Amino acid sequence: MLARHLLELSRPHALVGDEANYLAHQLPPRKKAPMTPRLARLLQKEMHAVEAVPRIFLTRLPDNLPEVMNAREKKRLFTSAMLPIILRANELIVADRGVLLKLKEKMLNGVPLRASERKWLQGKARQYRVRRHRNFSLQDMDLLIFRVDIIPPSLALAQAAMESGWGTSRFAQAGNALFGEWVWGDAEGLTPLERDEGKTHKIKSFEYLLDSVLSYMTNLNRHPSYRELRLRRAELREHNLVVTGAALAPALVDYSERGADYVSDILSIINYNDLDGLDSAQLAAHSNYGG
């Protein structure tokens, strides 16, 4: 019993039954090679009708994307590569949200939280920038639950497409930088070739596509500029409505200096490419390799 207790204290993330397995991620096919068989089958389907998405998680985008001249083919290649990654990121967020709901139920029932559970909560509070009381209160827990929630696939895809030119930009190809996040100082990133004089920022880079998507989702879930997005999402949940990209996009006026024009372009990408149908897509049942 003592050994089990010590193991639990040393592994707070054992609370969560789902974590990223980067060893299961794979390199994309070489320049002229076809996509993996399961992703190729996904490409053959109408994207808006996709339901069970294969668990094929690429480490980076196919490097032939900038060379694909056919716009429709380019968009489908990008979507087939990114959709499993976006769904996986949401799956990991849902796992954390499930733990939070269980811990809240324990608190409501007056059951003391274990040391490992408190440590896990402290980590999530830091990640989502929740200024907690000395001991977690129900108010702290509610704020975490408010922030730890999914980003609709249609919205993530549309923003990734907008920021990366459907995966063709130098930032996307060289650094898995899909969402144009800025960093400063010693943080990993790529220097913009046409950076304004006096600016010192870089575009945040990532080793894995999944990390790029998770960073983007964390940003939307915790930054003060996107509180309206979180309020819209919570309202949809309260009324048992589907959380869609079209419903949340108007809350992104601060994502770009272009403001309302940026939002209009995001909605146009969603509507023109029938991405809204992907908001109900799910990953196929777990394989032995996870992700």
Side-chain angles (χ1 to χ4, degrees), residues 59-61 78 82 159-165 167-182 188-190 202-209 211-213 216:
T59 59
R60 57 182 176 82
L61 291 169
F78 177 78
M82 288 303 304
Q159 289 197 265
M162 168 80 78
E163 300 291 339
S164 73
T168 64
S169 73
R170 177 175 73 94
F171 300 123
Q173 287 288 316
N176 283 333
L178 296 167
F179 300 96
E181 294 183 73
W182 287 19
E188 290 291 326
L190 301 172
K202 295 178 288 187
I203 302 300
K204 189 175 183 180
S205 61
F206 303 89
E207 184 175 358
Y208 292 91
L209 282 175
D211 290 336
S212 179
V213 174
Y216 151 79

Side-chain angles (χ1 to χ4, degrees), residues 34-289:
M35 294 292 272
T36 66
R38 281 190 286 173
L39 281 183
R41 286 196 294 272
L42 176 62
L43 273 170
Q44 294 166 7
K45 299 179 181 179
E46 289 300 322
M47 286 296 178
H48 66 272
V50 170
E51 292 183 359
V53 177
R55 290 178 174 271
I56 304 294
F57 307 121
L58 300 182
T59 59
R60 57 182 176 82
L61 291 169
D63 56 13
N64 67 330
L65 268 175
E67 302 166 12
V68 177
M69 294 296 103
N70 184 286
R72 184 173 183 271
E73 182 184 355
K74 180 180 295 184
K75 290 177 180 180
R76 289 175 66 81
L77 277 169
F78 177 78
T79 303
S80 66
M82 288 303 304
L83 182 59
I85 294 287
I86 290 167
L87 293 177
R88 181 61 178 143
N90 274 331
E91 200 174 60
L92 293 169
I93 290 172
V94 167
D96 282 349
R97 183 177 173 86
V99 174
L100 290 170
L101 291 171
K102 289 179 181 178
L103 295 183
K104 179 182 177 181
E105 185 177 359
K106 284 186 69 171
M107 293 172 66
L108 287 171
N109 291 330
V111 179
L113 300 183
R114 295 176 297 191
S116 59
E117 292 169 334
R118 291 195 300 272
K119 186 173 182 179
W120 184 84
L121 279 174
Q122 290 165 3
K124 290 301 162 186
R126 286 192 297 272
Q127 179 183 350
Y128 288 92
R129 295 177 182 167
V130 171
R131 293 183 178 180
R132 63 192 185 279
H133 298 85
R134 184 170 182 177
N135 293 314
F136 271 88
S137 67
L138 284 172
Q139 182 181 1
D140 299 329
M141 188 68 75
D142 284 338
L143 182 53
L144 261 177
I145 292 170
F146 174 68
R147 293 187 179 183
V148 181
D149 206 345
I150 66 162
I151 301 300
S154 65
L155 186 62
L157 276 167
Q159 289 197 265
M162 168 80 78
E163 300 291 339
S164 73
W166 294 94
T168 64
S169 73
R170 177 175 73 94
F171 300 123
Q173 287 288 316
N176 283 333
L178 296 167
F179 300 96
E181 294 183 73
W182 287 19
V183 290
W184 291 264
D186 296 330
E188 290 291 326
L190 301 172
T191 301
L193 297 179
E194 299 180 357
R195 186 172 63 183
D196 292 341
E197 187 176 353
K199 295 285 185 68
T200 60
H201 70 278
K202 295 178 288 187
I203 302 300
K204 189 175 183 180
S205 61
F206 303 89
E207 184 175 358
Y208 292 91
L209 282 175
L210 179 61
D211 290 336
S212 179
V213 174
L214 285 170
S215 178
Y216 151 79
M217 291 184 173
T218 301
N219 185 37
L220 291 190
N221 279 334
R222 73 185 185 186
H223 197 283
S225 295
Y226 311 122
R227 185 172 184 274
E228 177 62 27
L229 180 145
R230 300 189 289 271
L231 286 170
R232 286 172 177 252
R233 182 176 61 193
E235 185 176 357
L236 290 170
R237 285 206 175 277
E238 185 179 352
H239 292 90
N240 294 316
L241 298 173
V242 178
V243 179
T244 67
L248 301 191
L252 290 175
V253 290
D254 290 332
Y255 197 92
S256 165
E257 293 178 350
R258 297 175 56 233
D261 288 339
Y262 177 84
V263 169
S264 178
D265 286 346
I266 292 297
L267 288 171
S268 294
I269 292 174
I270 291 174
N271 295 329
Y272 183 80
N273 296 284
D274 292 326
L275 297 182
D276 53 341
L278 299 178
D279 287 337
S280 58
Q282 294 184 350
L283 288 170
H286 276 276
S287 68
N288 292 330
Y289 299 101

